[in-house]
């Protein structure tokens, strides 16, 4: 099944491939602190940090140091998180990636396998508002294959600021809106967390964008600058065949709307209320046009049933 993740500008960490390590402090030096490279500048929450190079053998297990503890709720699997981060290899003084320079935080669903295992494990159980430093052995990072500028079998060090966390509901909820247009697809109204049915009629597809409530909540309105957490079913109008669904993996998707390049999907979500279920029909002009993408035929009209679960 094709994935819509390719429609986003995806940071390195999203390209992901044990329990937390011991509480051993390790020996401190000018370049090491509690067994991990010291932050030599930008140590405060919100500041871009500078990390020293690791000394000696890197930790063989996941190691987490709380640099400063926040006073927010404790993170748990299934939470939607928004963070800033800087990542560097143990034996390097040059970061391979960071969100501070981009000026855009990174969004993930904790425990959903959207990021490397060291992140899922190291960020769990931390308080929102905390800055943590995480030492990640290769088996919880990018392993023997490496990734981009990251060498094979590299131990990684991250400084992560946990900005926000939100609990993700299992389903959209709200007032059922009648679906009376026989020329439009019909979407199921179940709220049990299972995939809604999506039935495409055997008629000509609309030529303009359709964005209709199926379940209308009382949440706040989605803005074009938001990051939303969604479940969705996506199908081709031509034959009604589902080409993507978050329900098959049980893992909601994070859509940073400024980075969403499928215009019809973005435009169909903006202005709708958080907590709602929406039918979106994107004609080719609001989808991929005359280009074939990820095996989706050119000039395809795309149909989405989207639960807007929460926003960051």
């Amino acid at each position: 099944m094709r994935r819509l993740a390719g429609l986003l500008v995806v940071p390195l960490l999203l390209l992901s491939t044990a329990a937390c390590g011991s509480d051993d402090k390790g020996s401190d030096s000018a370049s090491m602190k509690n067994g991990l490279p010291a932050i030599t500048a930008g140590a405060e929450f919100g500041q871009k940090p500078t990390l020293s190079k690791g000394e000696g053998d890197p930790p063989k297990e996941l190691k987490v140091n709380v640099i400063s503890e926040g006073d927010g709720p404790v993170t748990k699997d299934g939470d939607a998180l928004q963070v800033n981060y800087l990542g560097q290899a143990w034996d390097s003084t040059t970061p391979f990636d960071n969100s501070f320079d981009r000026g855009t935080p990174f969004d993930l669903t904790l425990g959903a396998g959207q990021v490397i295992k060291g992140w899922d494990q190291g960020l769990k159980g931390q308080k929102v508002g905390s800055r943590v430093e995480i030492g990640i052995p290769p088996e919880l990072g990018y392993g023997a294959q490496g990734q981009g500028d990251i060498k094979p079998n590299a131990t990684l060090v991250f400084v992560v600021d946990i900005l926000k966390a939100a609990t993700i509901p299992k389903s959209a909820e709200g007032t059922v809106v009648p679906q009376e247009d026989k020329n439009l697809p019909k979407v199921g109204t179940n709220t049990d967390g299972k995939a809604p049915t999506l039935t495409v009629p055997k008629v000509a597809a609309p030529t303009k964008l359709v964005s209709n409530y199926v379940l209308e909540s009382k949440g706040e309105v989605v803005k074009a600058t938001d990051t939303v957490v969604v479940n969705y079913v996506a199908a081709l109008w031509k034959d009604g065949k589902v080409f993507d669904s978050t329900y098959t993996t049980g893992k909601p998707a994070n859509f940073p709307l400024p980075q969403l390049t499928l215009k019809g999907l973005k435009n169909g979500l903006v202005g709708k209320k958080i907590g709602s279920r929406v039918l979106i029909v994107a004609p080719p002009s609001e989808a991929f046009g005359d280009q074939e993408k990820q095996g989706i035929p050119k000039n395809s009209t795309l149909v989405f049933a989207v639960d807007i679960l929460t926003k960051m």
Side-chain angles (χ1 to χ4, degrees), residues 80-91:
L81 301 188
Q82 187 171 84
V83 304
N84 272 320
Y85 68 90
L86 178 140
Q88 188 168 298
W90 177 271
D91 58 356

Side-chain angles (χ1 to χ4, degrees), residues 27-82:
S27 59
D28 288 351
S29 67
S31 60
M32 296 292 289
K33 185 72 173 178
N34 293 339
L36 292 176
I39 299 175
T40 58
E44 299 296 321
F45 183 94
Q47 296 178 336
K48 178 185 174 182
T50 299
L51 278 174
S52 62
K53 182 179 178 179
E55 287 184 354
D57 293 333
K60 297 185 182 303
E61 296 181 340
L62 185 71
K63 185 170 182 59
V64 182
N65 290 339
V66 178
I67 306 301
S68 60
E69 186 174 65
D71 57 6
V74 174
T75 61
K76 62 186 183 300
D77 282 346
D79 282 352
L81 301 188
Q82 187 171 84

Side-chain angles (χ1 to χ4, degrees), residues 220-237:
E220 62 181 293
V221 169
V222 175
K223 300 186 295 294
T225 55
D226 285 338
T227 291
V228 293
V229 182
V230 302
N231 270 326
Y232 63 83
V233 178
L236 299 174
W237 183 285

Side-chain angles (χ1 to χ4, degrees), residues 171-192:
S171 173
E173 292 188 346
T175 302
V176 176
V177 178
Q179 302 176 67
E180 297 174 342
D181 191 337
K182 64 181 181 181
N183 293 317
L184 289 179
K186 298 296 185 290
V187 179
T189 57
N190 57 299
T191 58
D192 56 3

